[in-house]
Amino acid sequence: ETVKLAYTKEYKAELQKKQRDTRNRRHEDTLAVMTTQADPTTIEQYGFDIEFQYPLIEAAWDSLKLRIRNPRQQETMGKVRLIKDSTNLRHFRVMPTEPFQVGYEYFLKIPHRGFRDINGFYNDSTELKVMLPTDEKLSNITLELSGVHNKYIIELLNEKRDKVIRSFIVNGDGPVVFPYLKAGSYCIRMTEDINGNNIVDTGNLLEHKQPEKVRFYKVNDKFLIKVLEKAEMVWNVDMEELFR
């Protein structure tokens, strides 16, 4: 016997809508969305930057492939190491195990279906390309730190002081270098990281927590540091004296 099911108009309309949605679903709607970045000016410090829109349930980090092409157009395969963001489980950095070299091109291949997010979606393949800047007009700032008895956060900010360009954590004497700078104005902010959490704490009135000490490095009694083209700027900084 044949059994016929009676569908209401509302059910038929809902069924047709689901069928249309399935047909119209875009390819990108079924992918594990990720954003990637390889900034030539900060690649030595931060490496290849990868952030997924949703947390991962599968991650084949050993599937990443790093190709290195030298100035003679000869290619070799390199090794990488993974750096996980302790404050963001969706954010990762990938660094070559060997230092970056000027004139070399670096290609990081992220293969298809190497990663799966909590929605069950796999990533699409992509390849990042980067090489160190070779523009002779770029400048460097070097701070020769002494008197470092605590942990400090050393940051290079833009002229408006609303963007961190580079950040270093230091707990001993030595140089801090800000390379590949375009001509312009910058600020250098130094924070005494008393609690050692690698974050600039502004304090909490309700919890009776004092803000951490912050100093802006001055050049000629000015917070704004003017950087010219092709400049090599070096300053000796006594941290003990600065935070006294």
Side-chain angles (χ1 to χ4, degrees):
E1 295 182 1
T2 301
V3 179
K4 294 184 178 181
L5 299 177
Y7 293 141
T8 64
K9 290 183 178 180
E10 292 79 6
Y11 183 80
K12 286 183 178 180
E14 181 66 22
L15 185 61
Q16 291 172 351
K17 182 179 182 300
K18 289 183 178 180
Q19 291 173 343
R20 287 196 303 270
D21 290 345
T22 300
R23 289 195 300 267
N24 296 333
R25 178 178 289 178
R26 298 175 301 174
H27 175 61
E28 55 266 32
D29 292 335
T30 62
L31 293 175
V33 179
M34 63 179 176
T35 57
T36 58
Q37 182 179 1
D39 186 340
T41 63
T42 60
I43 192 71
E44 290 176 294
Q45 183 179 358
Y46 299 127
F48 297 92
D49 191 277
I50 304 172
E51 183 170 353
F52 291 87
Q53 185 175 2
Y54 296 100
L56 299 176
I57 57 175
E58 294 179 16
W61 291 108
D62 57 354
S63 67
L64 300 183
K65 303 297 181 184
L66 178 67
R67 288 188 298 118
I68 304 173
R69 181 184 297 163
N70 66 20
R72 295 183 178 181
Q73 301 302 302
Q74 298 169 328
E75 291 192 358
T76 58
M77 301 303 295
K79 296 181 179 180
V80 298
R81 59 187 177 91
L82 177 67
I83 303 174
K84 298 180 180 180
D85 191 332
S86 60
T87 61
N88 183 353
L89 298 178
R90 299 175 290 105
H91 182 225
F92 306 89
R93 290 188 285 125
V94 177
M95 291 286 293
T97 56
E98 298 295 329
F100 285 93
Q101 299 186 65
V102 176
Y104 283 62
E105 295 176 284
Y106 296 82
F107 304 84
L108 182 69
K109 180 64 177 293
I110 304 175
H112 176 56
R113 296 178 67 87
F115 302 89
R116 188 183 184 193
D117 66 19
I118 59 173
N119 299 310
F121 297 150
Y122 289 93
N123 69 291
D124 203 355
S125 63
T126 188
E127 185 173 65
L128 303 174
K129 174 185 175 182
V130 70
M131 63 185 303
L132 294 179
T134 56
D135 188 349
E136 295 181 354
K137 294 182 179 180
L138 297 178
S139 302
N140 295 338
I141 292 178
T142 300
L143 304 178
E144 294 288 352
L145 303 184
S146 62
V148 179
H149 304 303
N150 296 314
K151 179 183 282 189
Y152 294 91
I153 304 172
I154 313 296
E155 298 170 305
L156 182 71
L157 310 180
N158 63 352
E159 183 176 1
K160 295 181 179 180
R161 293 189 286 182
D162 58 0
K163 179 182 179 181
V164 177
I165 299 172
R166 277 182 182 261
S167 178
F168 292 93
I169 307 295
V170 300
N171 55 12
D173 295 353
V176 171
V177 181
F178 299 110
Y180 312 125
L181 300 179
K182 295 180 180 179
S185 296
Y186 301 87
C187 294
I188 297 176
R189 180 172 65 192
M190 302 177 173
T191 304
E192 189 175 24
D193 190 18
I194 296 297
N195 58 11
N197 65 354
N198 300 338
I199 299 174
V200 178
D201 293 312
T202 57
N204 189 308
L205 183 61
L206 296 178
E207 297 179 5
H208 304 288
K209 290 183 178 180
Q210 295 292 325
E212 293 177 324
K213 291 182 180 180
V214 176
R215 300 287 187 271
F216 282 91
Y217 185 69
K218 292 183 179 181
V219 177
N220 298 325
D221 289 327
K222 295 181 179 180
F223 292 121
L224 279 180
I225 300 173
K226 187 71 173 180
V227 176
L228 303 177
E229 292 182 352
K230 304 179 182 180
E232 294 285 343
M233 311 172 78
V234 181
W235 294 295
N236 296 315
V237 184
D238 186 336
M239 299 297 287
E240 186 176 13
E241 178 68 24
L242 186 64
F243 279 83
R244 181 170 296 175

mmCIF file of all heavy atoms in Angstrom, residues 68-103:
data_model
loop_
_atom_site.group_PDB
_atom_site.id
_atom_site.type_symbol
_atom_site.label_atom_id
_atom_site.label_comp_id
_atom_site.label_asym_id
_atom_site.label_seq_id
_atom_site.Cartn_x
_atom_site.Cartn_y
_atom_site.Cartn_z
ATOM 1 N N ILE A 68 61.500 28.299 1.629
ATOM 2 C CA ILE A 68 62.420 29.439 1.707
ATOM 3 C C ILE A 68 63.158 29.543 0.381
ATOM 4 O O ILE A 68 63.776 28.576 -0.072
ATOM 5 C CB ILE A 68 63.421 29.263 2.864
ATOM 6 C CG1 ILE A 68 62.672 29.052 4.187
ATOM 7 C CG2 ILE A 68 64.343 30.476 2.949
ATOM 8 C CD1 ILE A 68 63.576 28.711 5.349
ATOM 9 N N ARG A 69 63.084 30.719 -0.247
ATOM 10 C CA ARG A 69 63.733 30.940 -1.543
ATOM 11 C C ARG A 69 64.835 31.981 -1.373
ATOM 12 O O ARG A 69 64.583 33.107 -0.940
ATOM 13 C CB ARG A 69 62.710 31.418 -2.569
ATOM 14 C CG ARG A 69 63.283 31.648 -3.970
ATOM 15 C CD ARG A 69 62.214 32.208 -4.888
ATOM 16 N NE ARG A 69 61.110 31.263 -5.051
ATOM 17 C CZ ARG A 69 59.912 31.603 -5.514
ATOM 18 N NH1 ARG A 69 59.652 32.865 -5.836
ATOM 19 N NH2 ARG A 69 58.968 30.685 -5.642
ATOM 20 N N ASN A 70 66.063 31.598 -1.705
ATOM 21 C CA ASN A 70 67.179 32.524 -1.545
ATOM 22 C C ASN A 70 67.298 33.442 -2.763
ATOM 23 O O ASN A 70 66.571 33.282 -3.749
ATOM 24 C CB ASN A 70 68.482 31.756 -1.278
ATOM 25 C CG ASN A 70 68.924 30.922 -2.473
ATOM 26 O OD1 ASN A 70 68.519 31.154 -3.612
ATOM 27 N ND2 ASN A 70 69.772 29.931 -2.214
ATOM 28 N N PRO A 71 68.194 34.442 -2.716
ATOM 29 C CA PRO A 71 68.316 35.380 -3.845
ATOM 30 C C PRO A 71 68.680 34.720 -5.168
ATOM 31 O O PRO A 71 68.470 35.316 -6.229
ATOM 32 C CB PRO A 71 69.422 36.336 -3.372
ATOM 33 C CG PRO A 71 69.340 36.296 -1.875
ATOM 34 C CD PRO A 71 68.988 34.878 -1.553
ATOM 35 N N ARG A 72 69.220 33.506 -5.141
ATOM 36 C CA ARG A 72 69.541 32.780 -6.372
ATOM 37 C C ARG A 72 68.361 31.947 -6.871
ATOM 38 O O ARG A 72 68.518 31.136 -7.778
ATOM 39 C CB ARG A 72 70.751 31.872 -6.138
ATOM 40 C CG ARG A 72 72.039 32.633 -5.829
ATOM 41 C CD ARG A 72 73.195 31.670 -5.675
ATOM 42 N NE ARG A 72 74.454 32.372 -5.414
ATOM 43 C CZ ARG A 72 75.628 31.776 -5.265
ATOM 44 N NH1 ARG A 72 75.705 30.443 -5.343
ATOM 45 N NH2 ARG A 72 76.714 32.482 -5.027
ATOM 46 N N GLN A 73 67.205 32.137 -6.246
ATOM 47 C CA GLN A 73 65.972 31.424 -6.609
ATOM 48 C C GLN A 73 66.039 29.931 -6.301
ATOM 49 O O GLN A 73 65.302 29.129 -6.875
ATOM 50 C CB GLN A 73 65.629 31.637 -8.092
ATOM 51 C CG GLN A 73 65.425 33.093 -8.480
ATOM 52 C CD GLN A 73 64.311 33.748 -7.671
ATOM 53 O OE1 GLN A 73 63.178 33.293 -7.685
ATOM 54 N NE2 GLN A 73 64.643 34.818 -6.960
ATOM 55 N N GLN A 74 66.901 29.556 -5.378
ATOM 56 C CA GLN A 74 66.971 28.173 -4.919
ATOM 57 C C GLN A 74 66.067 28.013 -3.701
ATOM 58 O O GLN A 74 66.063 28.870 -2.815
ATOM 59 C CB GLN A 74 68.415 27.797 -4.563
ATOM 60 C CG GLN A 74 69.379 27.882 -5.732
ATOM 61 C CD GLN A 74 70.827 27.756 -5.298
ATOM 62 O OE1 GLN A 74 71.194 28.184 -4.203
ATOM 63 N NE2 GLN A 74 71.658 27.174 -6.155
ATOM 64 N N GLU A 75 65.315 26.922 -3.654
ATOM 65 C CA GLU A 75 64.340 26.731 -2.587
ATOM 66 C C GLU A 75 64.717 25.575 -1.669
ATOM 67 O O GLU A 75 65.235 24.552 -2.114
ATOM 68 C CB GLU A 75 62.945 26.484 -3.169
ATOM 69 C CG GLU A 75 62.344 27.698 -3.850
ATOM 70 C CD GLU A 75 60.873 27.514 -4.165
ATOM 71 O OE1 GLU A 75 60.341 26.412 -3.884
ATOM 72 O OE2 GLU A 75 60.253 28.462 -4.683
ATOM 73 N N THR A 76 64.448 25.780 -0.388
ATOM 74 C CA THR A 76 64.614 24.734 0.618
ATOM 75 C C THR A 76 63.380 24.752 1.515
ATOM 76 O O THR A 76 62.624 25.728 1.537
ATOM 77 C CB THR A 76 65.871 24.967 1.477
ATOM 78 O OG1 THR A 76 65.784 26.257 2.108
ATOM 79 C CG2 THR A 76 67.129 24.894 0.632
ATOM 80 N N MET A 77 63.178 23.676 2.248
ATOM 81 C CA MET A 77 62.071 23.600 3.198
ATOM 82 C C MET A 77 62.595 23.930 4.592
ATOM 83 O O MET A 77 63.677 23.468 4.991
ATOM 84 C CB MET A 77 61.439 22.213 3.186
ATOM 85 C CG MET A 77 60.883 21.796 1.831
ATOM 86 S SD MET A 77 59.650 22.944 1.170
ATOM 87 C CE MET A 77 58.344 22.758 2.398
ATOM 88 N N GLY A 78 61.842 24.756 5.311
ATOM 89 C CA GLY A 78 62.240 25.146 6.652
ATOM 90 C C GLY A 78 61.335 24.541 7.713
ATOM 91 O O GLY A 78 60.270 24.005 7.418
ATOM 92 N N LYS A 79 61.773 24.632 8.955
ATOM 93 C CA LYS A 79 60.993 24.149 10.089
ATOM 94 C C LYS A 79 60.376 25.333 10.826
ATOM 95 O O LYS A 79 60.921 26.438 10.809
ATOM 96 C CB LYS A 79 61.878 23.339 11.041
ATOM 97 C CG LYS A 79 62.446 22.067 10.429
ATOM 98 C CD LYS A 79 63.287 21.313 11.445
ATOM 99 C CE LYS A 79 63.853 20.030 10.853
ATOM 100 N NZ LYS A 79 64.673 19.280 11.850
ATOM 101 N N VAL A 80 59.234 25.085 11.461
ATOM 102 C CA VAL A 80 58.542 26.150 12.185
ATOM 103 C C VAL A 80 58.204 25.687 13.596
ATOM 104 O O VAL A 80 58.187 24.492 13.893
ATOM 105 C CB VAL A 80 57.243 26.572 11.462
ATOM 106 C CG1 VAL A 80 57.548 27.132 10.088
ATOM 107 C CG2 VAL A 80 56.262 25.411 11.361
ATOM 108 N N ARG A 81 57.941 26.653 14.450
ATOM 109 C CA ARG A 81 57.459 26.367 15.798
ATOM 110 C C ARG A 81 56.193 27.176 16.046
ATOM 111 O O ARG A 81 56.017 28.273 15.502
ATOM 112 C CB ARG A 81 58.520 26.691 16.851
ATOM 113 C CG ARG A 81 58.987 28.139 16.859
ATOM 114 C CD ARG A 81 60.149 28.328 17.816
ATOM 115 N NE ARG A 81 60.650 29.696 17.795
ATOM 116 C CZ ARG A 81 60.220 30.655 18.600
ATOM 117 N NH1 ARG A 81 59.277 30.390 19.507
ATOM 118 N NH2 ARG A 81 60.719 31.875 18.538
ATOM 119 N N LEU A 82 55.319 26.636 16.864
ATOM 120 C CA LEU A 82 54.021 27.243 17.133
ATOM 121 C C LEU A 82 54.057 28.009 18.450
ATOM 122 O O LEU A 82 54.582 27.523 19.448
ATOM 123 C CB LEU A 82 52.941 26.165 17.190
ATOM 124 C CG LEU A 82 51.528 26.623 17.537
ATOM 125 C CD1 LEU A 82 50.959 27.489 16.431
ATOM 126 C CD2 LEU A 82 50.631 25.419 17.807
ATOM 127 N N ILE A 83 53.482 29.214 18.439
ATOM 128 C CA ILE A 83 53.352 30.020 19.649
ATOM 129 C C ILE A 83 51.864 30.267 19.876
ATOM 130 O O ILE A 83 51.196 30.905 19.063
ATOM 131 C CB ILE A 83 54.099 31.357 19.523
ATOM 132 C CG1 ILE A 83 55.575 31.112 19.213
ATOM 133 C CG2 ILE A 83 53.943 32.176 20.803
ATOM 134 C CD1 ILE A 83 56.354 32.375 18.925
ATOM 135 N N LYS A 84 51.328 29.758 20.989
ATOM 136 C CA LYS A 84 49.917 29.927 21.306
ATOM 137 C C LYS A 84 49.712 31.184 22.138
ATOM 138 O O LYS A 84 50.514 31.502 23.013
ATOM 139 C CB LYS A 84 49.395 28.707 22.070
ATOM 140 C CG LYS A 84 49.480 27.405 21.292
ATOM 141 C CD LYS A 84 48.946 26.243 22.116
ATOM 142 C CE LYS A 84 49.033 24.936 21.352
ATOM 143 N NZ LYS A 84 48.515 23.789 22.155
ATOM 144 N N ASP A 85 48.633 31.892 21.853
ATOM 145 C CA ASP A 85 48.274 33.093 22.605
ATOM 146 C C ASP A 85 47.578 32.660 23.894
ATOM 147 O O ASP A 85 46.514 32.039 23.853
ATOM 148 C CB ASP A 85 47.350 33.977 21.760
ATOM 149 C CG ASP A 85 47.144 35.353 22.374
ATOM 150 O OD1 ASP A 85 47.232 35.473 23.614
ATOM 151 O OD2 ASP A 85 46.880 36.305 21.619
ATOM 152 N N SER A 86 48.167 32.991 25.033
ATOM 153 C CA SER A 86 47.605 32.556 26.313
ATOM 154 C C SER A 86 46.313 33.276 26.668
ATOM 155 O O SER A 86 45.553 32.813 27.524
ATOM 156 C CB SER A 86 48.634 32.775 27.432
ATOM 157 O OG SER A 86 48.989 34.149 27.521
ATOM 158 N N THR A 87 46.032 34.403 26.013
ATOM 159 C CA THR A 87 44.819 35.167 26.317
ATOM 160 C C THR A 87 43.733 35.007 25.263
ATOM 161 O O THR A 87 42.620 35.492 25.448
ATOM 162 C CB THR A 87 45.150 36.664 26.458
ATOM 163 O OG1 THR A 87 45.682 37.157 25.214
ATOM 164 C CG2 THR A 87 46.177 36.884 27.559
ATOM 165 N N ASN A 88 44.056 34.345 24.150
ATOM 166 C CA ASN A 88 43.086 34.158 23.063
ATOM 167 C C ASN A 88 43.315 32.778 22.452
ATOM 168 O O ASN A 88 44.290 32.570 21.729
ATOM 169 C CB ASN A 88 43.241 35.255 22.007
ATOM 170 C CG ASN A 88 42.207 35.153 20.898
ATOM 171 O OD1 ASN A 88 41.439 34.192 20.825
ATOM 172 N ND2 ASN A 88 42.181 36.140 20.018
ATOM 173 N N LEU A 89 42.412 31.846 22.733
ATOM 174 C CA LEU A 89 42.583 30.466 22.281
ATOM 175 C C LEU A 89 42.431 30.307 20.776
ATOM 176 O O LEU A 89 42.728 29.242 20.235
ATOM 177 C CB LEU A 89 41.563 29.562 22.993
ATOM 178 C CG LEU A 89 41.682 29.485 24.519
ATOM 179 C CD1 LEU A 89 40.591 28.596 25.095
ATOM 180 C CD2 LEU A 89 43.057 28.979 24.926
ATOM 181 N N ARG A 90 41.968 31.353 20.094
ATOM 182 C CA ARG A 90 41.792 31.283 18.638
ATOM 183 C C ARG A 90 42.977 31.878 17.882
ATOM 184 O O ARG A 90 43.003 31.863 16.662
ATOM 185 C CB ARG A 90 40.505 32.018 18.241
ATOM 186 C CG ARG A 90 39.237 31.435 18.855
ATOM 187 C CD ARG A 90 38.004 32.269 18.517
ATOM 188 N NE ARG A 90 38.012 33.552 19.207
ATOM 189 C CZ ARG A 90 38.276 34.720 18.637
ATOM 190 N NH1 ARG A 90 38.555 34.778 17.343
ATOM 191 N NH2 ARG A 90 38.261 35.842 19.336
ATOM 192 N N HIS A 91 43.945 32.411 18.613
ATOM 193 C CA HIS A 91 45.044 33.161 18.002
ATOM 194 C C HIS A 91 46.363 32.404 18.148
ATOM 195 O O HIS A 91 46.699 31.919 19.231
ATOM 196 C CB HIS A 91 45.156 34.535 18.671
ATOM 197 C CG HIS A 91 46.208 35.400 18.086
ATOM 198 N ND1 HIS A 91 47.085 36.132 18.854
ATOM 199 C CD2 HIS A 91 46.545 35.654 16.792
ATOM 200 C CE1 HIS A 91 47.906 36.798 18.071
ATOM 201 N NE2 HIS A 91 47.604 36.522 16.815
ATOM 202 N N PHE A 92 47.113 32.330 17.034
ATOM 203 C CA PHE A 92 48.375 31.595 17.020
ATOM 204 C C PHE A 92 49.405 32.371 16.196
ATOM 205 O O PHE A 92 49.054 33.148 15.312
ATOM 206 C CB PHE A 92 48.191 30.202 16.402
ATOM 207 C CG PHE A 92 47.101 29.396 17.040
ATOM 208 C CD1 PHE A 92 45.795 29.487 16.573
ATOM 209 C CD2 PHE A 92 47.365 28.561 18.108
ATOM 210 C CE1 PHE A 92 44.772 28.755 17.155
ATOM 211 C CE2 PHE A 92 46.349 27.816 18.698
ATOM 212 C CZ PHE A 92 45.053 27.915 18.220
ATOM 213 N N ARG A 93 50.666 32.125 16.508
ATOM 214 C CA ARG A 93 51.761 32.666 15.708
ATOM 215 C C ARG A 93 52.695 31.528 15.323
ATOM 216 O O ARG A 93 52.951 30.631 16.122
ATOM 217 C CB ARG A 93 52.519 33.750 16.471
ATOM 218 C CG ARG A 93 51.704 35.024 16.645
ATOM 219 C CD ARG A 93 52.513 36.156 17.233
ATOM 220 N NE ARG A 93 52.751 35.967 18.661
ATOM 221 C CZ ARG A 93 53.932 35.954 19.231
ATOM 222 N NH1 ARG A 93 55.026 36.073 18.485
ATOM 223 N NH2 ARG A 93 54.061 35.795 20.527
ATOM 224 N N VAL A 94 53.187 31.592 14.103
ATOM 225 C CA VAL A 94 54.078 30.559 13.577
ATOM 226 C C VAL A 94 55.413 31.209 13.232
ATOM 227 O O VAL A 94 55.463 32.176 12.458
ATOM 228 C CB VAL A 94 53.469 29.880 12.334
ATOM 229 C CG1 VAL A 94 54.440 28.858 11.755
ATOM 230 C CG2 VAL A 94 52.138 29.219 12.691
ATOM 231 N N MET A 95 56.492 30.685 13.816
ATOM 232 C CA MET A 95 57.822 31.253 13.618
ATOM 233 C C MET A 95 58.756 30.211 13.010
ATOM 234 O O MET A 95 58.750 29.048 13.423
ATOM 235 C CB MET A 95 58.407 31.706 14.957
ATOM 236 C CG MET A 95 57.718 32.899 15.576
ATOM 237 S SD MET A 95 58.099 34.449 14.732
ATOM 238 C CE MET A 95 59.842 34.621 15.107
ATOM 239 N N PRO A 96 59.572 30.603 12.031
ATOM 240 C CA PRO A 96 60.634 29.699 11.572
ATOM 241 C C PRO A 96 61.619 29.431 12.706
ATOM 242 O O PRO A 96 61.839 30.289 13.570
ATOM 243 C CB PRO A 96 61.296 30.479 10.429
ATOM 244 C CG PRO A 96 60.290 31.502 10.018
ATOM 245 C CD PRO A 96 59.527 31.855 11.259
ATOM 246 N N THR A 97 62.192 28.257 12.716
ATOM 247 C CA THR A 97 63.171 27.941 13.755
ATOM 248 C C THR A 97 64.505 28.636 13.502
ATOM 249 O O THR A 97 65.301 28.800 14.425
ATOM 250 C CB THR A 97 63.389 26.423 13.841
ATOM 251 O OG1 THR A 97 63.790 25.925 12.552
ATOM 252 C CG2 THR A 97 62.105 25.719 14.264
ATOM 253 N N GLU A 98 64.754 29.050 12.252
ATOM 254 C CA GLU A 98 65.971 29.773 11.909
ATOM 255 C C GLU A 98 65.637 31.248 11.688
ATOM 256 O O GLU A 98 64.535 31.583 11.243
ATOM 257 C CB GLU A 98 66.615 29.191 10.644
ATOM 258 C CG GLU A 98 67.054 27.742 10.779
ATOM 259 C CD GLU A 98 68.176 27.567 11.788
ATOM 260 O OE1 GLU A 98 68.990 28.514 11.934
ATOM 261 O OE2 GLU A 98 68.239 26.503 12.424
ATOM 262 N N PRO A 99 66.574 32.159 11.982
ATOM 263 C CA PRO A 99 66.305 33.596 11.816
ATOM 264 C C PRO A 99 65.991 33.961 10.363
ATOM 265 O O PRO A 99 66.501 33.338 9.423
ATOM 266 C CB PRO A 99 67.617 34.253 12.275
ATOM 267 C CG PRO A 99 68.296 33.230 13.125
ATOM 268 C CD PRO A 99 67.914 31.904 12.551
ATOM 269 N N PHE A 100 65.163 34.977 10.193
ATOM 270 C CA PHE A 100 64.883 35.504 8.856
ATOM 271 C C PHE A 100 66.150 36.146 8.293
ATOM 272 O O PHE A 100 66.943 36.736 9.029
ATOM 273 C CB PHE A 100 63.770 36.554 8.914
ATOM 274 C CG PHE A 100 62.399 35.980 9.109
ATOM 275 C CD1 PHE A 100 61.864 35.849 10.378
ATOM 276 C CD2 PHE A 100 61.641 35.577 8.019
ATOM 277 C CE1 PHE A 100 60.592 35.325 10.565
ATOM 278 C CE2 PHE A 100 60.370 35.053 8.192
ATOM 279 C CZ PHE A 100 59.849 34.925 9.465
ATOM 280 N N GLN A 101 66.314 36.056 6.976
ATOM 281 C CA GLN A 101 67.475 36.635 6.317
ATOM 282 C C GLN A 101 67.036 37.639 5.253
ATOM 283 O O GLN A 101 66.042 37.421 4.550
ATOM 284 C CB GLN A 101 68.326 35.541 5.664
ATOM 285 C CG GLN A 101 68.881 34.518 6.641
ATOM 286 C CD GLN A 101 69.829 33.551 5.969
ATOM 287 O OE1 GLN A 101 70.898 33.938 5.482
ATOM 288 N NE2 GLN A 101 69.451 32.281 5.937
ATOM 289 N N VAL A 102 67.785 38.716 5.144
ATOM 290 C CA VAL A 102 67.489 39.749 4.153
ATOM 291 C C VAL A 102 67.682 39.186 2.749
ATOM 292 O O VAL A 102 68.654 38.474 2.479
ATOM 293 C CB VAL A 102 68.400 40.976 4.363
ATOM 294 C CG1 VAL A 102 68.169 42.013 3.260
ATOM 295 C CG2 VAL A 102 68.152 41.594 5.728
ATOM 296 N N GLY A 103 66.741 39.487 1.861
ATOM 297 C CA GLY A 103 66.826 39.025 0.485
ATOM 298 C C GLY A 103 66.192 37.672 0.243
ATOM 299 O O GLY A 103 66.062 37.243 -0.906
#
